[in-house]
Amino acid sequence: MPALTVDALRRGLRPWVFPAMLLALLEWATRTLTPASDALAPPSQALIAFTNAMASGSDSGVLRATLFTLGSASAGLMLGAGLGLAVGILLGLSRRAASMSFLSIEMLRPIPSVALIPLAMLVFGFGFRMEISVVAFATFWPLLILAQAAARQIEPGLLEVARALELSPWARIRKILLPAMVPRLFVALRLGVSIALVVAVTVEIAANPHGMGYALMIAQQSLAPDLMLGWLGWIGVVGFTLNAVALRLERATARRMGVRAAGESP
């Protein structure tokens, strides 16, 4: 095997060394230290239990639960991120608007999103709309703050060029602002994706009888630690996949717009 291929293989396997060691340690600990635990199960048993659940279609359906959580997280993210980016760009370009809204933002931003669950339940009841409203609130604030910071860091010369060319507001945003903000905006988007998934699962655990979080709670209440840990691992796999997709989208969009993505080597 050529040396280049061996080096590439080593680089590809290197990130998996620590997770493999951690799983092996957990496997050994659960089989030797806590063999009859009602809270922990070996990773191998968790994998078998979750595979059986996927094959049998139990626990309200793995696919259906996953799609519900992803749908709620995606809808809430689109709503919260869209508003957050729009308001953040506005506040980043207008010092007056930023100063006028500073107090309101700093009073509302620290409110935990899960604290809105009782209010959302009263307004929307159980289900999809309740969950996306909480996710939208959670993702709105970090996207607003990061978009505002990205807009403020744009070179003043670019804004002067836009004024000199007498571009319309939309053309100014599309041709000048967005290409300059793309790397920072995608960092904000990746953060929003993670927050959306975390909040969606949290809402399902706390109040909404749907999705992966609810399936996790059902496994816990059924005293099935293997299936519970299987769901926990599956949620981690889904989160890892979403982050990887967001990263690829970031790099593809950055190349198309002729800029370098954040963290990408020159």
Side-chain angles (χ1 to χ4, degrees), residues 59-60 65 210-220 227-228 231:
D59 295 279
S60 299
H210 304 281
M212 295 191 292
Y214 181 67
L216 180 68
M217 285 299 298
I218 291 297
Q220 182 264 335
L227 183 57
M228 179 185 67
W231 272 108

Side-chain angles (χ1 to χ4, degrees), residues 9-204:
L9 181 61
R10 288 176 179 174
R11 287 195 299 268
L13 293 177
R14 191 175 301 160
W16 301 98
V17 172
F18 180 75
M21 293 175 59
L22 187 62
L23 288 175
L25 179 61
L26 183 59
E27 183 80 21
W28 171 82
T30 51
R31 290 187 178 277
T32 57
L33 303 180
T34 58
S37 174
D38 292 331
L40 295 176
S44 58
Q45 291 185 8
L47 178 61
I48 293 173
F50 189 77
T51 302
N52 292 336
M54 293 183 66
S56 63
S58 60
D59 295 279
S60 299
V62 172
L63 179 60
R64 183 160 64 250
T66 303
L67 291 178
F68 182 90
T69 301
L70 290 179
S72 301
S74 300
L77 176 62
M78 286 190 292
L79 180 60
L83 293 174
L85 290 176
V87 176
I89 292 174
L90 173 64
L91 298 183
L93 296 178
S94 174
R95 297 282 181 176
R96 179 177 297 179
S99 62
M100 291 176 61
S101 60
F102 175 80
L103 180 60
S104 299
I105 291 174
E106 293 305 313
M107 289 181 62
L108 294 173
R109 186 169 60 89
I111 297 177
S113 57
V114 292
L116 294 182
I117 292 178
L119 177 61
M121 289 175 61
L122 288 175
V123 176
F124 301 110
F126 293 106
F128 186 73
R129 292 189 300 169
M130 183 270 284
E131 190 166 326
I132 67 173
S133 65
V134 180
V135 173
F137 180 85
T139 55
F140 173 79
W141 301 109
L143 270 295
L144 183 150
I145 298 299
L146 291 174
Q148 182 179 1
R152 286 183 175 177
Q153 294 174 6
I154 293 176
E155 292 291 337
L158 294 176
L159 300 179
E160 293 178 2
V161 169
R163 284 192 292 268
L165 295 176
E166 298 182 352
L167 296 178
S168 65
W170 170 241
R172 188 180 306 177
I173 293 174
R174 182 170 57 88
K175 296 181 178 180
I176 302 295
L177 299 183
L178 288 181
M181 295 170 60
V182 159
R184 298 184 183 92
L185 289 183
F186 267 101
V187 171
L189 180 60
R190 289 173 59 194
L191 176 63
V193 168
S194 301
I195 293 175
L197 180 62
V198 169
V199 173
V201 172
T202 303
V203 172
E204 293 161 1

